[in-house]
Amino acid sequence: MSIDVSTETITPEQIAAGARAHELDRKHVFHSWQAQGPFDPMTIIKTEGSWVWDGEGNKLLDFSSQLVNTNIGHQHPKVVAAIQEQAARICTIAPQHANDARSEAARLIAELTPGDLNKIFFTNGGADANEHAIRMARLHTGRNKVLSAYRSYHGGTHLAVNVTGDPRRVASDNATDGIVHFFPAYPYRSYFHSTTEAEETQRALRHLEDTIVLEGPGTIAALVLESIPGSAGIYMPPGGYMEGVRELTTKYGIVFIADEVMAGFGRAGRWFAVNHWNVTPDLITFAKGVNSGYVPLGGVAISEAIFETFRERPYPGGLTYSGHPLASAAAVATINAMKDEGLVENAARLGADIIGPALRELKDRHPSVGDVRGTGCFWAVELVTNRETREPMAPYGGSSPAMAAVTGALKKAGMLPFVNFNRIHVVPPLNITDEDLRTGLAMLDTALSVADTFVEA
């Protein structure tokens, strides 16, 4: 669906309320991932469809989908109505009681998951989904170690951030949580000196099996892998890699946890990104797009074999808000709206017909673009100062004056972007109109001209 925002206006009262919100924020709010002193957050006073309005009333195209979670855009009327209707009936209920919203959400999700992943444990978000999936795997196998890829992100809670393989882990990593990191298959920046995707697949799988053997297969409970890594770079697994990971985990009795927190629920042009490779993990973790982030919700989809471990044995874990009625009602409405409006198919179409061709054309014209990659509404543009050496425009784990200038150009053009390290992520809502999408890509074209000025002569 599309929402007409052409006649929307921002009132002086809204701007005044935004100024008050910003004042109180700076007095009282402690923000995540920030040095608190210099941080100056953008105030958002209105959201609608694929657009947001900042504290000064400027209209910005949300090409970030916030944190890549507003898959059906802002203020979708069907989801807003479902939350309102649920609030009028049951606002909250303890998780030990059955309620229709949670039960229906579980049914709808189980219908979408591959294979026999038909039992759903609800959490409050993606980080605790990964925490609980790992706990289930450890109890199921009686083992402790967990394998995870470098260049990954699995959440900000203690175990999830230790499983994470990007620099956000380092400050909290005391090397006592049983996590073993391995190198991922990443064709553009191959750790294995590969020159083809086939080489990358073969060498990355050999490295992974060597890691398993050297660590001791009997000590490894789980392997956690983002089906398509999100904030770590949207680097697509080369052909055969995901199938090979599934074969190795099966061979050594390791629980395969597919982290679909960002890539799931249509973002990658399939209901789950693993569907691209016809792979069935043992556990799938999800959040974000399951209800477009309207009310916090995540979960774990559980295979029959792991469920059987806890048929007679109590599972030692839970959350007060597991399957919260408002969040579950939002999930039901979101999934049904996505089905009714064909949004998964639309995401695939947008990626194949508009985003992919446009980004490849931008790469041809802009020497600052080293690589473009993705699927559906899930793409990354990797910026470099030298295409031959692939020198990133910002260091891994940091930013640079060049990237700051590019980000500034995107905002000046009218975009709310998702920028991480040396990459611009193209991750709009799945129901963005073709016109708005092309508008955003034109904004990106303008900003890449700024990036080009930082390319080495």
Side-chain angles (χ1 to χ4, degrees):
M1 66 169 291
S2 62
I3 299 174
D4 182 11
V5 297
S6 59
T7 60
E8 294 291 341
T9 58
I10 299 299
T11 66
E13 291 77 15
Q14 286 174 300
I15 292 176
R20 173 66 171 160
H22 189 276
E23 176 188 357
L24 292 176
D25 180 285
R26 301 322 302 133
K27 285 183 178 179
H28 302 295
V29 177
F30 192 98
H31 284 266
S32 55
W33 305 117
Q34 300 291 339
Q36 303 302 306
F39 183 54
D40 185 21
M42 175 186 290
T43 302
I44 301 297
I45 58 176
K46 181 179 175 62
T47 65
E48 196 79 29
S50 298
W51 298 85
V52 302
W53 284 257
D54 71 12
E56 297 176 351
N58 299 308
K59 180 180 171 184
L60 301 170
L61 183 61
D62 189 357
F63 242 43
S64 68
S65 295
Q66 294 301 289
L67 291 175
V68 199
N69 62 329
T70 54
N71 287 10
I72 59 169
H74 296 280
Q75 301 302 113
H76 192 294
K78 293 179 181 177
V79 184
V80 171
I83 296 169
Q84 292 171 332
E85 291 166 8
Q86 182 63 45
R89 294 191 299 112
I90 301 176
C91 279
T92 190
I93 201 72
Q96 65 264 33
H97 305 300
N99 75 84
D100 57 353
R102 186 196 300 128
S103 298
E104 180 66 3
R107 181 188 73 82
L108 288 170
I109 294 166
E111 285 184 347
L112 298 172
T113 53
D116 65 348
L117 280 72
N118 295 320
K119 300 295 193 299
I120 310 299
F121 177 76
F122 286 109
T123 66
N124 300 327
D128 48 351
N130 284 319
E131 297 248 357
H132 281 280
I134 291 168
R135 187 180 303 179
M136 291 174 188
R138 284 173 164 169
L139 292 167
H140 175 71
T141 62
R143 306 170 182 176
N144 185 61
K145 287 181 186 173
V146 177
L147 298 181
S148 177
Y150 288 110
R151 290 186 180 266
S152 67
Y153 182 71
H154 298 287
T157 52
H158 177 77
L159 179 57
V161 84
N162 274 267
V163 176
T164 287
D166 82 7
R168 285 172 284 187
R169 176 190 83 255
V170 176
S172 303
D173 188 350
N174 54 21
T176 61
D177 288 287
I179 310 303
V180 177
H181 288 94
F182 61 91
F183 292 116
Y186 181 13
Y188 183 65
R189 297 189 181 278
S190 173
Y191 292 102
F192 312 106
H193 309 290
S194 303
T195 58
T196 66
E197 285 205 356
E199 282 185 349
E200 183 72 0
T201 295
Q202 186 272 327
R203 294 174 184 182
L205 289 173
R206 172 61 187 272
H207 160 71
L208 177 56
E209 185 162 22
D210 286 345
T211 302
I212 292 170
V213 170
L214 293 170
E215 285 293 331
T219 70
I220 302 169
L223 184 149
V224 184
L225 188 67
E226 290 177 278
S227 305
I228 301 173
S231 57
I234 313 183
Y235 54 93
M236 299 288 293
Y241 181 72
M242 293 297 288
E243 296 92 334
V245 171
R246 174 69 279 188
E247 290 173 8
L248 287 174
T249 52
T250 300
K251 176 179 178 180
Y252 291 106
I254 297 168
V255 173
F256 180 17
I257 303 171
D259 181 337
E260 294 260 352
V261 169
M262 190 175 284
F265 289 93
R267 174 58 56 184
R270 303 286 183 93
W271 278 105
F272 291 97
V274 291
N275 299 143
H276 281 287
W277 303 282
N278 196 30
V279 166
T280 301
D282 300 298
L283 299 168
I284 288 178
T285 58
F286 63 86
K288 292 187 184 285
V290 66
N291 65 4
S292 218
Y294 283 28
V295 182
L297 184 68
V300 185
I302 305 165
S303 67
E304 192 65 27
I306 294 178
F307 172 78
E308 286 298 327
T309 296
F310 304 104
R311 180 178 290 277
E312 304 298 335
R313 172 187 181 182
Y315 173 65
L319 305 99
T320 298
Y321 304 118
S322 176
H324 191 282
L326 298 183
S328 297
V332 171
T334 297
I335 293 169
N336 284 332
M338 291 178 70
K339 289 181 175 180
D340 294 343
E341 296 164 22
L343 295 192
V344 178
E345 297 81 1
N346 192 56
R349 178 189 68 85
L350 292 176
D353 295 350
I354 300 179
I355 302 175
L359 294 186
R360 287 187 283 270
E361 192 270 335
L362 291 177
K363 180 183 177 184
D364 289 341
R365 289 195 293 105
H366 291 283
S368 58
V369 178
D371 192 32
V372 298
R373 51 188 182 256
T375 185
C377 288
F378 203 34
W379 293 77
V381 179
E382 185 157 346
L383 302 185
V384 296
T385 58
N386 185 308
R387 275 189 178 174
E388 295 301 316
T389 65
R390 302 187 178 184
E391 182 67 25
M393 194 161 282
Y396 182 61
S399 188
S400 66
M403 288 306 299
V406 174
T407 303
L410 288 168
K411 293 178 178 177
K412 183 178 179 181
M415 179 188 292
L416 185 63
F418 189 117
V419 178
N420 196 29
F421 306 163
N422 68 316
R423 301 180 310 272
I424 303 165
H425 291 195
V426 178
V427 286
L430 314 187
N431 57 353
I432 189 171
T433 65
D434 291 10
E435 180 184 3
D436 285 348
L437 179 56
R438 291 192 172 97
T439 295
L441 292 166
M443 294 174 183
L444 177 59
D445 188 9
T446 299
L448 290 176
S449 295
V450 175
D452 290 342
T453 66
F454 293 93
V455 173
E456 296 172 359

